[in-house]
mmCIF file of all heavy atoms in Angstrom:
data_model
loop_
_atom_site.group_PDB
_atom_site.id
_atom_site.type_symbol
_atom_site.label_atom_id
_atom_site.label_comp_id
_atom_site.label_asym_id
_atom_site.label_seq_id
_atom_site.Cartn_x
_atom_site.Cartn_y
_atom_site.Cartn_z
ATOM 1 N N ARG A 867 0.847 -1.190 0.000
ATOM 2 C CA ARG A 867 0.000 0.000 0.000
ATOM 3 C C ARG A 867 0.879 1.234 0.000
ATOM 4 O O ARG A 867 1.681 1.431 0.924
ATOM 5 C CB ARG A 867 -0.938 0.038 1.201
ATOM 6 C CG ARG A 867 -1.953 1.182 1.094
ATOM 7 C CD ARG A 867 -2.976 1.179 2.190
ATOM 8 N NE ARG A 867 -2.492 1.801 3.405
ATOM 9 C CZ ARG A 867 -3.269 2.360 4.331
ATOM 10 N NH1 ARG A 867 -4.585 2.365 4.153
ATOM 11 N NH2 ARG A 867 -2.753 2.878 5.419
ATOM 12 N N LEU A 868 0.724 2.046 -1.003
ATOM 13 C CA LEU A 868 1.459 3.298 -1.094
ATOM 14 C C LEU A 868 0.619 4.413 -0.470
ATOM 15 O O LEU A 868 -0.606 4.422 -0.571
ATOM 16 C CB LEU A 868 1.771 3.639 -2.546
ATOM 17 C CG LEU A 868 2.539 2.581 -3.345
ATOM 18 C CD1 LEU A 868 2.863 3.126 -4.746
ATOM 19 C CD2 LEU A 868 3.802 2.148 -2.633
ATOM 20 N N THR A 869 1.326 5.345 0.156
ATOM 21 C CA THR A 869 0.676 6.489 0.780
ATOM 22 C C THR A 869 1.280 7.769 0.240
ATOM 23 O O THR A 869 2.505 7.878 0.100
ATOM 24 C CB THR A 869 0.859 6.441 2.302
ATOM 25 O OG1 THR A 869 0.234 5.248 2.806
ATOM 26 C CG2 THR A 869 0.219 7.644 2.969
ATOM 27 N N CYS A 870 0.429 8.737 -0.046
ATOM 28 C CA CYS A 870 0.884 10.065 -0.474
ATOM 29 C C CYS A 870 0.283 11.082 0.479
ATOM 30 O O CYS A 870 -0.924 11.310 0.472
ATOM 31 C CB CYS A 870 0.450 10.350 -1.903
ATOM 32 S SG CYS A 870 0.869 12.010 -2.478
ATOM 33 N N ALA A 871 1.140 11.663 1.294
ATOM 34 C CA ALA A 871 0.704 12.691 2.240
ATOM 35 C C ALA A 871 0.915 14.059 1.606
ATOM 36 O O ALA A 871 2.032 14.390 1.203
ATOM 37 C CB ALA A 871 1.487 12.569 3.541
ATOM 38 N N ALA A 872 -0.149 14.848 1.526
ATOM 39 C CA ALA A 872 -0.091 16.137 0.852
ATOM 40 C C ALA A 872 -0.213 17.289 1.844
ATOM 41 O O ALA A 872 -0.914 17.182 2.847
ATOM 42 C CB ALA A 872 -1.209 16.225 -0.180
ATOM 43 N N SER A 873 0.478 18.364 1.550
ATOM 44 C CA SER A 873 0.372 19.564 2.374
ATOM 45 C C SER A 873 0.401 20.783 1.463
ATOM 46 O O SER A 873 0.837 20.706 0.321
ATOM 47 C CB SER A 873 1.516 19.624 3.388
ATOM 48 O OG SER A 873 2.766 19.673 2.723
ATOM 49 N N GLY A 874 -0.062 21.903 1.971
ATOM 50 C CA GLY A 874 -0.123 23.110 1.163
ATOM 51 C C GLY A 874 -1.541 23.382 0.730
ATOM 52 O O GLY A 874 -2.480 23.132 1.462
ATOM 53 N N MET A 875 -1.728 23.842 -0.494
ATOM 54 C CA MET A 875 -3.047 24.217 -1.001
ATOM 55 C C MET A 875 -3.801 23.011 -1.530
ATOM 56 O O MET A 875 -4.499 23.074 -2.527
ATOM 57 C CB MET A 875 -2.904 25.249 -2.116
ATOM 58 C CG MET A 875 -2.376 26.580 -1.658
ATOM 59 S SD MET A 875 -2.137 27.699 -3.061
ATOM 60 C CE MET A 875 -3.768 27.779 -3.771
ATOM 61 N N ILE A 876 -3.657 21.908 -0.847
ATOM 62 C CA ILE A 876 -4.185 20.652 -1.385
ATOM 63 C C ILE A 876 -5.702 20.626 -1.379
ATOM 64 O O ILE A 876 -6.322 19.858 -2.121
ATOM 65 C CB ILE A 876 -3.593 19.454 -0.609
ATOM 66 C CG1 ILE A 876 -3.668 18.197 -1.449
ATOM 67 C CG2 ILE A 876 -4.219 19.344 0.749
ATOM 68 C CD1 ILE A 876 -2.862 18.289 -2.738
ATOM 69 N N PHE A 877 -6.335 21.488 -0.582
ATOM 70 C CA PHE A 877 -7.787 21.482 -0.504
ATOM 71 C C PHE A 877 -8.405 21.917 -1.825
ATOM 72 O O PHE A 877 -9.574 21.692 -2.092
ATOM 73 C CB PHE A 877 -8.267 22.414 0.617
ATOM 74 C CG PHE A 877 -7.804 23.830 0.450
ATOM 75 C CD1 PHE A 877 -8.527 24.734 -0.307
ATOM 76 C CD2 PHE A 877 -6.630 24.263 1.051
ATOM 77 C CE1 PHE A 877 -8.099 26.038 -0.465
ATOM 78 C CE2 PHE A 877 -6.185 25.560 0.899
ATOM 79 C CZ PHE A 877 -6.922 26.451 0.136
ATOM 80 N N SER A 878 -7.604 22.548 -2.702
ATOM 81 C CA SER A 878 -8.129 23.048 -3.968
ATOM 82 C C SER A 878 -7.756 22.154 -5.154
ATOM 83 O O SER A 878 -7.833 22.574 -6.297
ATOM 84 C CB SER A 878 -7.610 24.465 -4.226
ATOM 85 O OG SER A 878 -6.197 24.458 -4.270
ATOM 86 N N PHE A 879 -7.339 20.919 -4.860
ATOM 87 C CA PHE A 879 -6.908 20.062 -5.957
ATOM 88 C C PHE A 879 -8.087 19.639 -6.814
ATOM 89 O O PHE A 879 -9.226 19.544 -6.351
ATOM 90 C CB PHE A 879 -6.176 18.837 -5.416
ATOM 91 C CG PHE A 879 -7.105 17.720 -4.995
ATOM 92 C CD1 PHE A 879 -7.362 16.668 -5.855
ATOM 93 C CD2 PHE A 879 -7.709 17.735 -3.763
ATOM 94 C CE1 PHE A 879 -8.210 15.636 -5.491
ATOM 95 C CE2 PHE A 879 -8.566 16.724 -3.384
ATOM 96 C CZ PHE A 879 -8.815 15.661 -4.239
ATOM 97 N N ASN A 880 -7.849 19.357 -8.067
ATOM 98 C CA ASN A 880 -8.855 18.822 -8.978
ATOM 99 C C ASN A 880 -8.776 17.302 -9.055
ATOM 100 O O ASN A 880 -9.787 16.614 -9.090
ATOM 101 C CB ASN A 880 -8.690 19.410 -10.374
ATOM 102 C CG ASN A 880 -9.020 20.886 -10.397
ATOM 103 O OD1 ASN A 880 -9.984 21.319 -9.778
ATOM 104 N ND2 ASN A 880 -8.218 21.661 -11.101
ATOM 105 N N ARG A 881 -7.542 16.803 -9.088
ATOM 106 C CA ARG A 881 -7.362 15.367 -9.061
ATOM 107 C C ARG A 881 -5.983 15.035 -8.521
ATOM 108 O O ARG A 881 -5.063 15.836 -8.587
ATOM 109 C CB ARG A 881 -7.534 14.755 -10.449
ATOM 110 C CG ARG A 881 -6.510 15.202 -11.465
ATOM 111 C CD ARG A 881 -6.738 14.505 -12.791
ATOM 112 N NE ARG A 881 -5.608 14.686 -13.685
ATOM 113 C CZ ARG A 881 -5.482 14.088 -14.852
ATOM 114 N NH1 ARG A 881 -6.421 13.262 -15.286
ATOM 115 N NH2 ARG A 881 -4.426 14.290 -15.612
ATOM 116 N N MET A 882 -5.865 13.847 -7.966
ATOM 117 C CA MET A 882 -4.595 13.321 -7.492
ATOM 118 C C MET A 882 -4.432 11.915 -8.037
ATOM 119 O O MET A 882 -5.413 11.259 -8.380
ATOM 120 C CB MET A 882 -4.548 13.296 -5.967
ATOM 121 C CG MET A 882 -4.582 14.669 -5.332
ATOM 122 S SD MET A 882 -4.407 14.634 -3.541
ATOM 123 C CE MET A 882 -2.691 14.102 -3.392
ATOM 124 N N GLY A 883 -3.201 11.496 -8.108
ATOM 125 C CA GLY A 883 -3.013 10.172 -8.668
ATOM 126 C C GLY A 883 -1.610 9.640 -8.511
ATOM 127 O O GLY A 883 -0.771 10.234 -7.831
ATOM 128 N N TRP A 884 -1.410 8.503 -9.150
ATOM 129 C CA TRP A 884 -0.122 7.826 -9.114
ATOM 130 C C TRP A 884 0.330 7.522 -10.544
ATOM 131 O O TRP A 884 -0.472 7.062 -11.370
ATOM 132 C CB TRP A 884 -0.224 6.507 -8.338
ATOM 133 C CG TRP A 884 -0.483 6.688 -6.882
ATOM 134 C CD1 TRP A 884 -1.696 6.752 -6.261
ATOM 135 C CD2 TRP A 884 0.502 6.853 -5.867
ATOM 136 N NE1 TRP A 884 -1.527 6.924 -4.921
ATOM 137 C CE2 TRP A 884 -0.196 6.991 -4.643
ATOM 138 C CE3 TRP A 884 1.897 6.872 -5.855
ATOM 139 C CZ2 TRP A 884 0.471 7.157 -3.426
ATOM 140 C CZ3 TRP A 884 2.558 7.033 -4.647
ATOM 141 C CH2 TRP A 884 1.847 7.174 -3.449
ATOM 142 N N TYR A 885 1.585 7.793 -10.785
ATOM 143 C CA TYR A 885 2.249 7.387 -12.015
ATOM 144 C C TYR A 885 3.396 6.459 -11.622
ATOM 145 O O TYR A 885 3.811 6.425 -10.472
ATOM 146 C CB TYR A 885 2.821 8.599 -12.756
ATOM 147 C CG TYR A 885 1.813 9.404 -13.531
ATOM 148 C CD1 TYR A 885 0.847 10.170 -12.885
ATOM 149 C CD2 TYR A 885 1.837 9.421 -14.921
ATOM 150 C CE1 TYR A 885 -0.067 10.912 -13.606
ATOM 151 C CE2 TYR A 885 0.920 10.177 -15.648
ATOM 152 C CZ TYR A 885 -0.018 10.913 -14.982
ATOM 153 O OH TYR A 885 -0.926 11.664 -15.696
ATOM 154 N N ARG A 886 3.893 5.743 -12.601
ATOM 155 C CA ARG A 886 5.072 4.912 -12.341
ATOM 156 C C ARG A 886 6.003 4.961 -13.547
ATOM 157 O O ARG A 886 5.577 5.209 -14.669
ATOM 158 C CB ARG A 886 4.693 3.468 -12.034
ATOM 159 C CG ARG A 886 4.117 2.690 -13.207
ATOM 160 C CD ARG A 886 3.640 1.322 -12.757
ATOM 161 N NE ARG A 886 3.051 0.575 -13.875
ATOM 162 C CZ ARG A 886 2.362 -0.560 -13.723
ATOM 163 N NH1 ARG A 886 2.183 -1.075 -12.507
ATOM 164 N NH2 ARG A 886 1.859 -1.183 -14.774
ATOM 165 N N GLN A 887 7.266 4.703 -13.249
ATOM 166 C CA GLN A 887 8.269 4.672 -14.319
ATOM 167 C C GLN A 887 9.175 3.478 -14.109
ATOM 168 O O GLN A 887 9.866 3.383 -13.085
ATOM 169 C CB GLN A 887 9.078 5.965 -14.335
ATOM 170 C CG GLN A 887 10.010 6.063 -15.531
ATOM 171 C CD GLN A 887 10.533 7.469 -15.734
ATOM 172 O OE1 GLN A 887 10.513 8.302 -14.827
ATOM 173 N NE2 GLN A 887 11.004 7.766 -16.938
ATOM 174 N N ALA A 888 9.149 2.578 -15.065
ATOM 175 C CA ALA A 888 10.018 1.413 -15.036
ATOM 176 C C ALA A 888 11.344 1.769 -15.715
ATOM 177 O O ALA A 888 11.400 2.696 -16.530
ATOM 178 C CB ALA A 888 9.362 0.242 -15.745
ATOM 179 N N PRO A 889 12.397 1.045 -15.394
ATOM 180 C CA PRO A 889 13.702 1.328 -16.016
ATOM 181 C C PRO A 889 13.621 1.288 -17.537
ATOM 182 O O PRO A 889 13.091 0.332 -18.112
ATOM 183 C CB PRO A 889 14.587 0.205 -15.485
ATOM 184 C CG PRO A 889 13.967 -0.190 -14.190
ATOM 185 C CD PRO A 889 12.485 -0.029 -14.398
ATOM 186 N N GLY A 890 14.105 2.340 -18.175
ATOM 187 C CA GLY A 890 14.120 2.393 -19.631
ATOM 188 C C GLY A 890 12.794 2.695 -20.271
ATOM 189 O O GLY A 890 12.683 2.657 -21.508
ATOM 190 N N LYS A 891 11.781 2.990 -19.470
ATOM 191 C CA LYS A 891 10.455 3.262 -20.022
ATOM 192 C C LYS A 891 9.971 4.646 -19.619
ATOM 193 O O LYS A 891 10.492 5.244 -18.684
ATOM 194 C CB LYS A 891 9.460 2.197 -19.555
ATOM 195 C CG LYS A 891 9.751 0.803 -20.082
ATOM 196 C CD LYS A 891 8.636 -0.158 -19.721
ATOM 197 C CE LYS A 891 8.887 -1.537 -20.311
ATOM 198 N NZ LYS A 891 7.781 -2.479 -19.971
ATOM 199 N N GLN A 892 8.957 5.111 -20.328
ATOM 200 C CA GLN A 892 8.377 6.400 -19.996
ATOM 201 C C GLN A 892 7.477 6.285 -18.778
ATOM 202 O O GLN A 892 6.950 5.215 -18.465
ATOM 203 C CB GLN A 892 7.575 6.932 -21.195
ATOM 204 C CG GLN A 892 8.423 7.347 -22.381
ATOM 205 C CD GLN A 892 7.606 8.026 -23.457
ATOM 206 O OE1 GLN A 892 6.415 7.744 -23.622
ATOM 207 N NE2 GLN A 892 8.228 8.925 -24.204
ATOM 208 N N ARG A 893 7.303 7.406 -18.120
ATOM 209 C CA ARG A 893 6.390 7.448 -16.989
ATOM 210 C C ARG A 893 4.965 7.227 -17.492
ATOM 211 O O ARG A 893 4.579 7.782 -18.517
ATOM 212 C CB ARG A 893 6.505 8.793 -16.284
ATOM 213 C CG ARG A 893 5.826 8.865 -14.940
ATOM 214 C CD ARG A 893 6.135 10.173 -14.242
ATOM 215 N NE ARG A 893 7.561 10.314 -13.929
ATOM 216 C CZ ARG A 893 8.034 11.305 -13.169
ATOM 217 N NH1 ARG A 893 7.209 12.206 -12.661
ATOM 218 N NH2 ARG A 893 9.328 11.384 -12.942
ATOM 219 N N GLU A 894 4.200 6.421 -16.771
ATOM 220 C CA GLU A 894 2.843 6.112 -17.202
ATOM 221 C C GLU A 894 1.860 6.279 -16.053
ATOM 222 O O GLU A 894 2.212 6.085 -14.878
ATOM 223 C CB GLU A 894 2.749 4.675 -17.727
ATOM 224 C CG GLU A 894 3.064 3.600 -16.716
ATOM 225 C CD GLU A 894 2.843 2.199 -17.237
ATOM 226 O OE1 GLU A 894 2.361 2.042 -18.384
ATOM 227 O OE2 GLU A 894 3.142 1.245 -16.502
ATOM 228 N N LEU A 895 0.641 6.606 -16.410
ATOM 229 C CA LEU A 895 -0.409 6.772 -15.419
ATOM 230 C C LEU A 895 -0.810 5.409 -14.871
ATOM 231 O O LEU A 895 -0.970 4.442 -15.620
ATOM 232 C CB LEU A 895 -1.627 7.437 -16.056
ATOM 233 C CG LEU A 895 -2.867 7.542 -15.179
ATOM 234 C CD1 LEU A 895 -2.630 8.530 -14.051
ATOM 235 C CD2 LEU A 895 -4.066 7.959 -16.008
ATOM 236 N N VAL A 896 -0.964 5.343 -13.554
ATOM 237 C CA VAL A 896 -1.426 4.116 -12.909
ATOM 238 C C VAL A 896 -2.881 4.274 -12.470
ATOM 239 O O VAL A 896 -3.735 3.456 -12.794
ATOM 240 C CB VAL A 896 -0.551 3.760 -11.690
ATOM 241 C CG1 VAL A 896 -1.096 2.527 -10.978
ATOM 242 C CG2 VAL A 896 0.898 3.549 -12.106
ATOM 243 N N ALA A 897 -3.163 5.344 -11.720
ATOM 244 C CA ALA A 897 -4.518 5.552 -11.208
ATOM 245 C C ALA A 897 -4.692 7.009 -10.827
ATOM 246 O O ALA A 897 -3.739 7.673 -10.420
ATOM 247 C CB ALA A 897 -4.776 4.660 -9.996
ATOM 248 N N ILE A 898 -5.923 7.500 -10.972
ATOM 249 C CA ILE A 898 -6.236 8.849 -10.548
ATOM 250 C C ILE A 898 -7.544 8.845 -9.780
ATOM 251 O O ILE A 898 -8.379 7.956 -9.950
ATOM 252 C CB ILE A 898 -6.341 9.834 -11.729
ATOM 253 C CG1 ILE A 898 -7.400 9.373 -12.728
ATOM 254 C CG2 ILE A 898 -5.006 10.033 -12.389
ATOM 255 C CD1 ILE A 898 -7.720 10.396 -13.787
ATOM 256 N N ILE A 899 -7.704 9.868 -8.942
ATOM 257 C CA ILE A 899 -8.948 10.070 -8.218
ATOM 258 C C ILE A 899 -9.246 11.557 -8.246
ATOM 259 O O ILE A 899 -8.375 12.388 -8.023
ATOM 260 C CB ILE A 899 -8.860 9.520 -6.771
ATOM 261 C CG1 ILE A 899 -10.224 9.624 -6.074
ATOM 262 C CG2 ILE A 899 -7.771 10.223 -5.968
ATOM 263 C CD1 ILE A 899 -10.298 8.807 -4.795
ATOM 264 N N THR A 900 -10.488 11.891 -8.556
ATOM 265 C CA THR A 900 -10.867 13.294 -8.662
ATOM 266 C C THR A 900 -11.406 13.815 -7.339
ATOM 267 O O THR A 900 -11.649 13.055 -6.393
ATOM 268 C CB THR A 900 -11.935 13.495 -9.742
ATOM 269 O OG1 THR A 900 -13.162 12.883 -9.293
ATOM 270 C CG2 THR A 900 -11.505 12.886 -11.059
ATOM 271 N N ARG A 901 -11.611 15.111 -7.316
ATOM 272 C CA ARG A 901 -12.184 15.764 -6.141
ATOM 273 C C ARG A 901 -13.511 15.104 -5.783
ATOM 274 O O ARG A 901 -13.845 14.978 -4.616
ATOM 275 C CB ARG A 901 -12.369 17.236 -6.449
ATOM 276 C CG ARG A 901 -12.787 18.094 -5.300
ATOM 277 C CD ARG A 901 -13.129 19.447 -5.746
ATOM 278 N NE ARG A 901 -12.609 20.622 -5.178
ATOM 279 C CZ ARG A 901 -11.817 20.837 -4.172
ATOM 280 N NH1 ARG A 901 -11.294 19.938 -3.546
ATOM 281 N NH2 ARG A 901 -11.500 21.980 -3.774
ATOM 282 N N GLY A 902 -14.272 14.696 -6.799
ATOM 283 C CA GLY A 902 -15.559 14.065 -6.562
ATOM 284 C C GLY A 902 -15.472 12.567 -6.327
ATOM 285 O O GLY A 902 -16.490 11.885 -6.347
ATOM 286 N N GLN A 903 -14.270 12.061 -6.130
ATOM 287 C CA GLN A 903 -14.020 10.653 -5.813
ATOM 288 C C GLN A 903 -14.187 9.718 -7.017
ATOM 289 O O GLN A 903 -14.242 8.498 -6.840
ATOM 290 C CB GLN A 903 -14.911 10.149 -4.663
ATOM 291 C CG GLN A 903 -14.757 10.928 -3.370
ATOM 292 C CD GLN A 903 -13.582 10.470 -2.536
ATOM 293 O OE1 GLN A 903 -12.626 9.871 -3.033
ATOM 294 N NE2 GLN A 903 -13.637 10.759 -1.252
ATOM 295 N N SER A 904 -14.264 10.265 -8.223
ATOM 296 C CA SER A 904 -14.248 9.392 -9.393
ATOM 297 C C SER A 904 -12.850 8.850 -9.580
ATOM 298 O O SER A 904 -11.870 9.542 -9.286
ATOM 299 C CB SER A 904 -14.669 10.174 -10.643
ATOM 300 O OG SER A 904 -15.994 10.612 -10.537
ATOM 301 N N THR A 905 -12.757 7.634 -10.050
ATOM 302 C CA THR A 905 -11.451 6.993 -10.215
ATOM 303 C C THR A 905 -11.274 6.466 -11.633
ATOM 304 O O THR A 905 -12.249 6.201 -12.346
ATOM 305 C CB THR A 905 -11.274 5.822 -9.229
ATOM 306 O OG1 THR A 905 -12.314 4.860 -9.455
ATOM 307 C CG2 THR A 905 -11.337 6.311 -7.788
ATOM 308 N N ASP A 906 -10.025 6.330 -12.015
ATOM 309 C CA ASP A 906 -9.697 5.739 -13.303
ATOM 310 C C ASP A 906 -8.366 5.020 -13.160
ATOM 311 O O ASP A 906 -7.517 5.450 -12.367
ATOM 312 C CB ASP A 906 -9.615 6.807 -14.391
ATOM 313 C CG ASP A 906 -9.686 6.202 -15.784
ATOM 314 O OD1 ASP A 906 -10.039 5.001 -15.908
ATOM 315 O OD2 ASP A 906 -9.383 6.907 -16.756
ATOM 316 N N TYR A 907 -8.210 3.948 -13.916
ATOM 317 C CA TYR A 907 -7.021 3.104 -13.785
ATOM 318 C C TYR A 907 -6.436 2.749 -15.145
ATOM 319 O O TYR A 907 -7.166 2.654 -16.142
ATOM 320 C CB TYR A 907 -7.369 1.800 -13.068
ATOM 321 C CG TYR A 907 -7.893 1.976 -11.669
ATOM 322 C CD1 TYR A 907 -9.248 2.153 -11.418
ATOM 323 C CD2 TYR A 907 -7.018 1.963 -10.583
ATOM 324 C CE1 TYR A 907 -9.725 2.317 -10.131
ATOM 325 C CE2 TYR A 907 -7.485 2.133 -9.293
ATOM 326 C CZ TYR A 907 -8.843 2.301 -9.079
ATOM 327 O OH TYR A 907 -9.307 2.466 -7.793
ATOM 328 N N ALA A 908 -5.152 2.504 -15.154
ATOM 329 C CA ALA A 908 -4.533 1.918 -16.336
ATOM 330 C C ALA A 908 -5.110 0.521 -16.524
ATOM 331 O O ALA A 908 -5.390 -0.191 -15.543
ATOM 332 C CB ALA A 908 -3.017 1.848 -16.161
#
């Protein structure tokens, strides 16, 4: 389980998410969650 602790103006975010980058590859989207709790996944 990965955790992302946010501080600052985070109350005004539109979406948060996770990307990953494997060796020799481009960074890719893994999952996102919007302010309204909608989610999307690779």
Side-chain angles (χ1 to χ4, degrees):
R867 188 175 82 155
L868 304 184
T869 298
C870 176
S873 61
M875 293 176 58
I876 202 62
F877 58 87
S878 59
F879 84 97
N880 292 318
R881 64 178 193 173
M882 295 184 69
W884 293 91
Y885 282 70
R886 68 186 179 191
Q887 187 165 20
K891 294 187 177 181
Q892 290 187 330
R893 192 173 296 189
E894 62 175 356
L895 174 69
V896 177
I898 58 170
I899 185 166
T900 68
R901 187 189 231 357
Q903 302 277 22
S904 296
T905 59
D906 197 13
Y907 299 89

